[in-house]
Amino acid sequence: MAAERVAGKSQKQNQSQVKQSRRSAPKARTGCLTCKRRKVKCDEGKPECRRCLTIGVSCKGYKPASKAERLPPSQKPLLPRMSTPNQPHPTPLESSSFQSDAKPKDLGKTKTATAFGSPGTFDTSLTPRSGLQLQQTKFSFLDPKTFRQERECRRKAQEQEESDPQSHGTHSSSVSKPPPSSQRPLALQKPSLEPGKTGHIHDCRAITICRPPSTSIFDSEDEHRYFRFFTDKTVAHIGGCYNPLLWNQSVLQACEGERSILYAAIAIGALDLSFKTGRSSSIARALGSISKQDEAIAHYRFSLREMNKAIKQMRQTVQKRQDLRTTLLASILIIAFEIYHGNHESALDQIRSSVQLLEDWTAPHHCSLDSAGAGISPSPHTVEDDLVHAFYRLEIEGMVYIDQLPVSCHLSRKDDRAAAVQTMPSEFARISEAQVFGKILMRRTIHFLLVAWAYDRGASQPDKNLYALDKIRCNASPQSLAELDRYRKEMARWYAAFTPLLDRATSARQSKDRYSAICLQVHYLCTCVAMDCVFRENEMFFDTLKSTFTSILSLTKILLDHQDDSFFVFDSQVILPLEIVGKKCRDPVVRREAIRLMYGVKRKEGFMDSLVLAKLCSWVISVEEEGMVGNYVPEEARVRNVRTEPGEEKGSLRVWCELPRIGGKPGEVVVRDTIIK
């Protein structure tokens, strides 16, 4: 008996040691109420779990799902992951994983198409949006090892299941398996209450909220690398001074739920990496190396393939009942890719169709919009204001570049949001508020300037290829003078409300609001130049605007001090103002300084390429200075009616202008032209 007691005691000790050494598993919170009370693993069968049916007990069902769990997967607000000061994210360019050895096959001439044709039927049901105002978005699946680890885990699990199929899911397993990642709750790092430590409750950047993806959303490891570059590099600069949340929050969140948006984001990341690699390849070629050039070509071809995949996916989903917000986000990415790639005609078509979608959607809500202040979207939970403002800014960019809108469109949109303009505050509290009202007024003003010629009965419609400031010249009429005076007063009211905010923002050094305010001031001055010169009699009028040109030049120098190494910015910032100074300011010192700055920028802003415009302005100066008298350019030597069109060679631009014929009849001109490469 004593021996049996000793043996029983040792057996109990061994069992307790086994229990103590058992590994802990994540606690499941999604099982039925009966299994949770019995503290056993639930298979989560619906409507009753299989475990309860097997043992013959009544299954009490499941706890009602929370509001976030009831949402469809595509509508769940994905909370971004923030980088902490103690754990910086690796830079893609510093990692060798971006040096892909794969060389795609030559695609030949690949042409992307417009994804959307005429407006269709869209689901405009209210879609919840995350209310977090975040500075930078990071996803948990951006770890470079995630893709390989998930693939390796799935392979090992499949091999284990094939080798011992009976042991899969049995009670004899000593280690309980964690639930699938799609069923795991969002993991929140508990903030530390100790000051100065990572996770302090007052340090919002130290809190990491992430949800591991159930499966990898990428089709290949190359897609993962290019998407990583898009999130780490491209998103940081593509938004410029406007809409940071549109790119680093709205677009990135949509990538998880919509594959067409994901493919388009990957395509833009690959194209951005191609141009940046190509920039450094010029140095490599000078050293006798062509590896960088080959890498740039590989990135470029991959971007074309991904965009074609995105457009194919969009065409498949647009036939279904797709919500308007997803359509507009996809359109934003297509426009960005087409502009970056140089397909300006396709980008302009996409802008027009997207803006028309918004106009048709907001048409039944004009009364509510007019009483909503700066809010443009009639339902911000469906389509946020930032997205609508992005398309209205794109419309301004397209009109300045090539105006192809019908006269009826200009006449209807020149008075858009009239009641909201009347309720404009006397002083702006935030930069975003000043940007909203400023772009509303600038959009209205440009629509009027482009149609001001229609008030003159004897005038004909200008050539669409004309330079913007040459296009808006026309004769004055009583009605057009009254309209112009109204727009002047509205812009003066806006600038009076903006001035206190501008003074506060410019006094703060190294502040992003400072550069956003200065950029907005530059665009206001350019709008004033356009309003002042619409009824000019000749080119000598621009000499009266020398002080304005000097102010634009000084402010752009401040903005360029803040410039990064970005190659593409979605919105216009400094290139268009510098082009205006280079073409229309006849002071040789001021205009040459503007051209020098354009040569130094070396990037694209919307439709504007700094190097191309710098060469164009240099050619205009060379033509005008042929007839210069001292430091003065007389009226007969001044270039007018500058036109551009794509040249016969790829990447070339044909430019031609008109000059008064010396000794000829009034109105007789001489045409000069050149090819810019």
Side-chain angles (χ1 to χ4, degrees):
M1 295 294 293
E4 292 178 358
R5 286 196 298 270
V6 172
K9 184 177 181 181
S10 62
Q11 185 176 2
K12 291 181 179 180
Q13 291 177 353
N14 293 335
Q15 292 177 356
S16 63
Q17 291 176 0
V18 171
K19 291 182 179 180
Q20 293 176 359
S21 62
R22 181 176 179 179
R23 293 176 58 187
S24 61
K27 186 175 180 180
R29 302 182 184 274
T30 55
C32 71
L33 298 177
T34 304
C35 291
K36 290 177 68 175
R37 181 175 56 82
R38 297 178 61 239
K39 298 182 179 180
V40 296
K41 182 176 178 60
C42 180
D43 57 20
E44 303 182 17
K46 301 292 177 65
E48 297 179 348
C49 74
R50 188 177 302 175
R51 179 178 290 277
C52 292
L53 294 177
T54 302
I55 63 178
V57 299
S58 176
C59 183
K60 300 296 183 181
Y62 299 87
K63 181 180 178 181
S66 63
K67 183 177 180 181
E69 293 172 346
R70 290 196 300 268
L71 296 175
S74 61
Q75 296 183 2
K76 288 186 179 180
L78 180 62
L79 300 180
R81 183 173 185 173
M82 306 298 296
S83 59
T84 62
N86 297 336
Q87 296 177 349
H89 291 277
T91 304
L93 287 178
E94 297 172 357
S95 173
S96 60
S97 62
F98 280 87
Q99 308 299 333
S100 176
D101 295 332
K103 295 184 178 181
K105 297 180 180 179
D106 192 356
L107 299 179
K109 294 183 179 180
T110 306
K111 183 178 180 181
T112 55
T114 304
F116 309 109
S118 59
T121 303
F122 300 94
D123 181 12
T124 57
S125 58
L126 296 181
T127 305
R129 300 283 173 261
S130 175
L132 296 178
Q133 300 298 317
L134 304 173
Q135 296 178 354
Q136 188 178 9
T137 301
K138 298 287 182 183
F139 285 109
S140 59
F141 53 76
L142 294 185
D143 187 354
K145 298 181 180 179
T146 301
F147 186 88
R148 292 189 294 270
Q149 287 177 350
E150 288 185 355
R151 185 175 59 186
E152 187 67 20
C153 290
R154 289 197 299 269
R155 187 185 61 80
K156 290 183 179 180
Q158 185 177 1
E159 291 178 355
Q160 182 178 1
E161 184 177 352
E162 292 175 355
S163 61
D164 191 7
Q166 296 181 353
S167 64
H168 180 67
T170 61
H171 231 16
S172 61
S173 177
S174 61
V175 180
S176 60
K177 298 180 181 179
S181 57
S182 61
Q183 300 176 4
R184 299 175 192 168
L186 290 176
L188 171 64
Q189 291 184 358
K190 187 175 181 180
S192 173
L193 299 181
E194 182 180 356
K197 297 291 185 179
T198 301
H200 187 256
I201 195 169
H202 297 295
D203 186 6
C204 298
R205 297 174 301 174
I207 301 177
T208 302
I209 304 176
C210 59
R211 183 180 69 198
S214 56
T215 58
S216 176
I217 64 175
F218 304 106
D219 297 337
S220 66
E221 201 164 350
D222 287 335
E223 287 188 349
H224 176 251
R225 293 193 186 105
Y226 287 117
F227 185 75
R228 175 83 180 276
F229 183 85
F230 175 80
T231 57
D232 286 353
K233 290 291 184 180
T234 307
V235 167
H237 61 74
I238 194 171
C241 297
Y242 298 98
N243 281 0
L245 294 181
L246 175 63
W247 291 96
N248 64 13
Q249 182 170 318
S250 300
V251 171
L252 293 185
Q253 288 179 358
C255 287
E256 190 191 26
E258 184 59 46
R259 298 201 67 81
S260 60
I261 297 179
L262 174 66
Y263 291 146
I266 294 172
I268 295 175
L271 187 64
D272 192 26
L273 183 58
S274 171
F275 277 95
K276 290 189 175 182
T277 307
R279 176 187 293 179
S280 59
S281 67
S282 59
I283 303 176
R285 286 195 302 269
L287 298 176
S289 173
I290 60 173
S291 59
K292 285 288 183 181
Q293 187 177 3
D294 293 340
E295 290 177 13
I297 295 175
H299 299 324
Y300 175 75
R301 291 173 177 171
F302 190 90
S303 70
L304 295 180
R305 288 205 303 271
E306 286 297 305
M307 182 51 67
N308 286 331
K309 287 173 60 177
I311 293 177
K312 182 179 179 180
Q313 185 71 28
M314 290 173 194
R315 285 173 173 167
Q316 294 175 357
T317 57
V318 80
Q319 297 174 357
K320 305 176 183 177
R321 189 174 177 81
Q322 180 174 323
D323 63 286
L324 178 62
R325 180 178 184 268
T326 302
T327 302
L328 294 176
L329 283 174
S331 182
I332 280 280
L333 292 173
I334 290 180
I335 293 169
F337 183 87
E338 297 288 11
I339 294 176
Y340 204 163
H341 189 255
N343 296 334
H344 293 171
E345 290 292 335
S346 178
L348 290 170
D349 292 339
Q350 195 72 36
I351 292 172
R352 285 192 294 270
S353 61
S354 300
V355 173
Q356 189 60 48
L357 276 178
L358 288 172
E359 292 292 319
D360 296 340
W361 179 59
T362 58
H365 306 278
H366 278 317
C367 295
S368 60
L369 283 174
D370 287 338
S371 61
I376 284 187
S377 175
S379 178
H381 295 284
T382 304
V383 179
E384 56 267 39
D385 285 335
D386 285 343
L387 188 55
V388 180
H389 284 298
F391 277 105
Y392 285 172
R393 292 198 311 274
L394 279 173
E395 186 185 28
I396 296 175
E397 300 277 344
M399 288 188 296
V400 172
Y401 179 67
I402 297 179
D403 175 37
Q404 296 179 342
L405 294 176
V407 176
S408 59
C409 182
H410 289 302
L411 292 174
S412 62
R413 296 179 185 176
K414 69 181 182 66
D415 295 324
D416 188 33
R417 306 299 308 279
V421 171
Q422 296 300 324
T423 61
M424 185 170 55
S426 58
E427 182 176 341
F428 297 123
R430 302 178 307 277
I431 291 293
S432 59
E433 186 181 24
Q435 288 176 340
V436 167
F437 278 103
K439 289 303 177 179
I440 288 176
L441 292 176
M442 293 176 192
R443 177 173 176 254
R444 285 159 48 95
T445 303
I446 294 175
H447 274 297
F448 162 72
L449 293 176
L450 290 173
V451 81
W453 61 268
Y455 292 90
D456 184 8
R457 296 181 179 179
S460 58
Q461 187 170 1
D463 185 359
K464 69 175 183 178
N465 292 321
L466 275 175
Y467 172 60
L469 290 184
D470 293 330
K471 187 185 305 182
I472 62 176
R473 179 183 178 183
C474 62
N475 297 324
S477 65
Q479 186 179 0
S480 60
L481 287 173
E483 288 278 301
L484 180 62
D485 184 64
R486 178 165 62 90
Y487 290 113
R488 286 182 187 275
K489 291 179 179 178
E490 290 175 354
M491 292 301 300
R493 282 182 52 220
W494 175 87
Y495 192 71
F498 175 61
T499 300
L501 180 62
L502 176 65
D503 295 337
R504 293 194 302 269
T506 53
S507 62
R509 296 288 179 180
Q510 302 302 325
S511 171
K512 187 173 183 179
D513 284 348
R514 176 174 183 257
Y515 297 102
S516 298
I518 293 175
C519 184
L520 198 56
Q521 184 184 13
V522 171
H523 293 173
Y524 162 77
L525 293 176
C526 293
T527 306
C528 290
V529 170
M531 288 190 296
D532 291 338
C533 69
V534 63
F535 298 134
R536 66 186 182 275
E537 295 182 358
N538 51 43
E539 291 293 310
M540 301 296 294
F541 172 81
F542 288 101
D543 292 346
T544 63
L545 303 177
K546 181 180 176 181
S547 60
T548 305
F549 292 141
T550 305
S551 299
I552 292 175
L553 186 63
S554 301
L555 293 173
T556 53
K557 286 182 178 180
I558 299 176
L559 293 175
L560 291 176
D561 290 338
H562 180 62
Q563 181 193 359
D564 52 17
D565 61 345
S566 60
F567 196 83
F568 175 70
V569 179
F570 195 56
D571 294 291
S572 176
Q573 295 186 22
V574 300
I575 297 178
L576 178 60
L578 290 175
E579 181 200 17
I580 293 175
V581 176
K583 282 184 179 178
K584 295 302 182 181
C585 179
R586 268 63 183 206
D587 184 278
V589 176
V590 175
R591 70 190 317 186
R592 277 185 167 79
E593 179 65 13
I595 294 174
R596 184 189 68 83
L597 293 177
M598 278 193 286
Y599 274 117
V601 173
K602 296 180 181 179
R603 73 177 180 193
K604 296 181 179 179
E605 293 179 357
F607 295 95
M608 309 298 174
D609 189 319
S610 64
L611 295 179
V612 173
L613 293 180
K615 294 177 181 178
L616 192 153
C617 292
S618 299
W619 176 75
V620 169
I621 291 179
S622 65
V623 172
E624 290 187 339
E625 291 186 349
E626 291 177 0
M628 178 181 286
V629 179
N631 290 329
Y632 174 74
V633 180
E635 170 66 19
E636 61 272 11
R638 299 196 176 194
V639 165
R640 62 209 66 198
N641 296 338
V642 178
R643 294 175 174 86
T644 59
E645 66 178 11
E648 296 180 357
E649 298 182 12
K650 183 178 180 180
S652 63
L653 186 70
R654 178 175 177 260
V655 183
W656 70 99
C657 65
E658 297 176 358
L659 287 169
R661 181 181 295 276
I662 300 177
K665 299 178 181 180
E668 192 174 359
V669 297
V670 176
V671 177
R672 299 282 298 271
D673 63 341
T674 188
I675 300 294
I676 295 178
K677 298 180 181 181

